[in-house]
Every structure is written in C-alpha cells, then in structure tokens.
Amino acid sequence: MATVAYRAGDPAADFYPDWNLSVMGQVFRRLSVGLSDLSIKWGPGRSTYQAGVRLHYRFYDRGRFWLGGALGMAFQGTVGRSAPSIDAAVAIPARQTAFTAIPYGQLDLRLFILDRWSLDLVPRVSVPLGTRFYGGDRALPRSALTFELGTGVGVYF
C-alpha cells in the first residue's frame, strides 16, 4: 500500500509506503477472512509492528477478472528506542510506546495472468484512531483520512 498525504514542512506532501502481507482463507464461495497487513517497520527512532483482520467478499468473477470489497482493521504497536547514555549519571528516558487501530474499507480488482497467479490493484480508505506510523519514522496524525493505493501479486489455491 502507498499513500500520498499532507505533512508538516516543505514540501507539503509526502509518500508513505507500507509493505505488508495478507493471508486469507475462503470460508464460503466468494467469502474470505484472514490475517492482513502483516508488517514490521524500522526507523532510526522506533520500531512498529502491524497486524490486522479482514473480511472480503468477491461480488464479481468472470473469467480472469475478479472484483471484490473488504472491511478490515489493522492494529499497530510502536516502541520508541532509547538512546544509550555515555554518562552513567544521566538518566535515560523511558521508551515511548503507542498502540492504534486503523479501520478501513477497500476495493479489490484482480486480474489473473496465470491460472492461480494474479495482479491486484487495491484502492483503500482508512482513518487511524491514533497516530499511524510508517517506516523511516514517518507518521500520520490521528483521524487523518487517507486514500491509499495498493498493488500486489496474489496466489489463489
């Protein structure tokens, strides 16, 4: 997933990449549930761990083209790193931690290039309920409505 969003400073926009993995299982014809948005993000000042759940329904499947919609919730836990102190008399500040949930809705366009391999285009709308962290210490504030565009390779079996 990738987001272009506002940021403080100049330039006023920034690119927020988010590499992740989803593992979905089909429970009924056209209905899938599973783990989504699995990723780890490192930056100079913090590490962020992300995982979520997703419910997906495929409402159109003709030949090699599928169209579906999904609702999901991603969860992020973030731990800020404490810098080591050279002087033993200087107190090291406590680690900064944060947790947030990110509800989202997405459209899933899938074109099968081989029998079980597809190229995916996934536009998504999300609203983080707390600060949302990305790699490289980038972050978006609470309640920042985001429009994301995801691409991927899917394997269906």
Side-chain angles (χ1 to χ4, degrees), residues 18-33:
D18 187 19
W19 296 95
N20 59 57
L21 174 70
S22 296
V23 180
M24 305 288 291
Q26 185 169 303
V27 293
F28 298 109
R29 179 165 162 44
R30 299 179 177 239
L31 182 67
S32 300
V33 295

Side-chain angles (χ1 to χ4, degrees), residues 92-111:
I92 298 172
R95 289 178 167 241
Q96 297 176 359
T97 60
F99 181 81
T100 192
I102 306 138
Y104 62 85
Q106 73 182 32
L107 183 65
D108 183 18
L109 300 121
R110 185 174 290 202
L111 178 64

Side-chain angles (χ1 to χ4, degrees), residues 75-157:
F75 301 96
Q76 278 191 346
T78 300
V79 177
R81 295 189 189 99
S82 300
S85 176
I86 297 172
D87 185 0
V90 175
I92 298 172
R95 289 178 167 241
Q96 297 176 359
T97 60
F99 181 81
T100 192
I102 306 138
Y104 62 85
Q106 73 182 32
L107 183 65
D108 183 18
L109 300 121
R110 185 174 290 202
L111 178 64
F112 283 85
I113 54 174
L114 297 173
D115 287 342
R116 299 194 179 274
W117 290 82
S118 67
L119 296 177
D120 305 342
L121 184 63
V122 185
R124 177 189 284 187
V125 175
S126 64
V127 179
L129 302 178
T131 302
R132 182 175 181 181
F133 292 98
Y134 294 86
D137 283 342
R138 292 186 180 100
L140 289 175
R142 177 178 178 232
S143 301
L145 178 67
T146 60
F147 298 98
E148 304 168 78
L149 183 61
T151 60
V153 174
V155 180
Y156 182 81
F157 52 104

Side-chain angles (χ1 to χ4, degrees), residues 41-69:
K41 301 162 187 59
W42 287 284
R46 69 180 49 91
S47 295
T48 300
Y49 306 93
Q50 178 175 291
V53 294
R54 182 184 309 151
L55 177 66
H56 179 273
Y57 182 74
R58 184 177 68 243
F59 49 84
Y60 181 85
D61 59 356
R62 298 288 185 264
R64 294 192 171 274
F65 181 69
W66 288 5
L67 187 61

